[in-house]
Amino acid sequence: MMQTVRDATFDVLRRYAMTTLFANPGSSEVSLLTGLPDDLSFVLALHEGSVVGMATGHAIATDRPALAIVHTTAGLGNAVGALATARVNRAPLVVIVGQQDRRHLALEPFLTGRLDGLAGEYPVWRTQPARAQDVPGAVARAWHEAQTARGPALVVVPMDDWLSVMPPDQVVAAPRTLLRPSATALDAAIELAALLNESASPVIVAGAGADHPRTWAALVTLAERLACPVWQESFGARAGFPQNHPQYAGVLPPGRAQQRTILSGHDFVLAVGAPVFRHNPYQPGHIVTPGTRIAVVTDDPSEAHRAPADLAILASPATVCEHLPTHLHPRPPQKTATPPHQPEQEAGEPHDTGLGAGFASPAPGNPRWAASGRPSPSAGNGGPPPSPGDGRPAPGAGDGGPMLSGGRWATDEPAEGTWEPRWVVSAQPDRADAHGLVDPGVGEPLRAAHVLAALAVRLAPETIVVEETPSSRPELHRLLPARRPLGFVSAAMGGLGFALPAAVGLRMALPDRPVVAVVGDGSAIYGIQALWSAARYRVGALFVVLANGRYAVMDQLAEAADAGKPPWPPFEEVSLSGLATAFGCPARRITGHDELLDVLDGVIPSLLDRTQPLLLDIAIAP
């Protein structure tokens, strides 16, 4: 029996471990998908944004391309926003887009897609194979293109191609294995080390591209060797450094002026896995204080090519940073301090200085950095606040290791191939809510900070927190620091609709890690269809919806602009728990703090073993 193009493509999917098919199919995909072999898993999503969002979460979790299948013009058009997010999040995807029958495309029959350019410049590669027999090779090449360029690669396939005969001698125009040598990383590290050795007061800015166990371990060694602070990039989609390490300084604010002030005490800025730099809104002036040198280490060509840096290294951040310490000279502790708090805002700057994720005033810098530039041994570890003072236990509190005297902890020996923190730090002595509160006062409404503080003392350190709550993101950064690689995931693009489907994909790919999505109700509405997939495929993620019945981020921006009353109304009538129930996802509405704590105490200890999603619709004050 002759092999078909469909059969040959399935062999390609098996070869590259793309055996989970995220899809919202139409008529042009029927010939591909009916009668699937048992070793291929089909995952239906009810909207193309959820298809791509779940595939994006899966790709982030596995660090290899995931497969999404969408239907011609309508499907690809609906998916464009999610494809843009995947591109900026550097998530490798192979996207198969259906097309009408090749034999009458010239007549533009019903459902013909004018697909070329529909997704703009967000795909890293796109093709419609010239012949049906070229489809398997195009899918294989798309895998390599997506993996190399870290983004979505599109293959448009006419519907009749799948059942075409695949000759046994047909060439598949793609390599089985593609090696990317890192030999040049050593030479680059030596050159970078020479610049660091000339500096008196370096600082590291870590970004999403450093969120890998090897890179975390290498950056910890490097930061400790340099005795320097480490900042997280602004608008970062992932954490590039352990945020409970004593040398972690906080998240850079979004404004250029504020960033320049924070970095002004340093003569050398090393950006690792981060662009130089992300700002919003526009502010005039230099990127850094004149005379400060900048180097960037990234495996993203675009990030390297546009960097206003003295040295840009296009290589694996982990490999370069692993080579660096052996070429550094011993150095005394830094004399220039990282500011112990955010600088005063310059005249005329609004309090809310951006749009989208991370828009609000940034999380404060780390007060552990004393005037010597060294961390104060008596200060906290940047971890979660202690449990509320009502005598309740705090399941999952702490940092995963045995507790020592004085609230200190240490980890067991790490398993082979895993990353574990090597430092021992003190627990924070005081409650960490920005307003001095963990529990709401008498008569005070429930606020986002109360919910985040309750989560902070209960979530295990290996929990993956997926964030899409723009107005509460600074509080989330402060109260829920990333303590393990992949501990924080967000949408780098700033568009809404990412968190719910991404959490589903992450949990499907990593069933051995708890996944909690913290989402605003306005954000959740954009990706609500993903809840059906979570319920249908028994994905045990927890969705925490901070429901204030409005686009709070837009209200805050309008207030900061002081240009009159905004025209958009609240949407307090929308029930997220009602929508979740309608999609088959268990849900609960929560209106009080005691009720919140009771529910979290009942749910969080079993997060790792859950096989059913749960949405908590938590009413909070705007």
Side-chain angles (χ1 to χ4, degrees), residues 19 31 44 153 190 252 259 274 330 341 405 412 457 468 587:
T19 55
S31 56
L44 176 65
I190 292 173
L252 282 177
Q259 288 189 13
H341 54 76
S405 61
D412 296 326
V457 297
E468 196 169 43

Side-chain angles (χ1 to χ4, degrees), residues 575-596:
S575 167
L576 270 297
S577 52
L579 288 171
T581 301
F583 279 109
C585 176
R588 178 162 177 173
R589 174 73 169 176
I590 295 174
T591 58
H593 191 252
D594 288 342
E595 181 186 11
L596 169 68

Side-chain angles (χ1 to χ4, degrees), residues 94-302:
V94 173
V95 183
I96 293 176
V97 184
Q99 176 62 294
Q100 247 290 2
D101 192 304
R102 186 188 292 270
R103 292 167 294 187
H104 65 163
L105 273 178
L107 300 176
E108 295 198 15
F110 178 65
L111 293 179
T112 298
R114 296 184 179 182
L115 304 175
D116 189 31
L118 182 57
E121 297 183 3
Y122 291 110
V124 297
W125 185 73
R126 64 181 70 81
T127 188
Q128 178 173 316
R131 302 181 307 143
Q133 291 73 21
D134 294 329
V135 168
V139 172
R141 178 173 173 178
W143 191 95
H144 291 296
E145 296 283 357
Q147 184 77 334
T148 299
R150 311 301 293 183
L154 271 56
V155 182
V156 177
V157 183
M159 60 192 294
D160 60 311
D161 283 6
W162 298 115
L163 301 184
S164 298
V165 172
M166 186 73 174
D169 60 351
Q170 174 66 36
V171 173
V172 174
R176 285 182 172 270
T177 303
L178 176 64
L179 297 179
R180 300 168 179 83
S182 57
T184 58
L186 174 58
D187 293 336
I190 292 173
E191 186 170 348
L192 176 57
L195 294 178
L196 282 166
N197 286 332
E198 295 172 4
S199 69
S201 179
V203 60
I204 296 172
V205 176
D211 186 20
H212 186 277
R214 278 183 58 203
T215 317
W216 272 37
L219 278 178
V220 166
T221 299
L222 179 62
E224 291 175 352
R225 179 68 179 271
L226 293 172
C228 74
V230 181
W231 289 88
Q232 172 71 28
E233 65 166 323
S234 60
F235 302 102
R238 293 163 67 177
F241 189 81
Q243 295 178 346
N244 62 334
H245 188 279
Q247 285 168 244
Y248 176 68
V251 180
L252 282 177
R256 179 180 297 187
Q258 295 98 323
Q259 288 189 13
R260 186 171 59 245
T261 302
I262 281 176
L263 300 175
S264 64
H266 303 279
D267 60 357
F268 191 90
V269 180
L270 173 59
V272 179
V276 182
F277 292 109
R278 276 187 159 189
H279 303 127
N280 191 39
Y282 170 76
Q283 292 175 347
H286 295 285
I287 298 290
V288 292
T289 304
T292 300
R293 303 171 90 176
I294 300 174
V296 59
V297 181
T298 178
D299 58 3
D300 182 339
S302 176

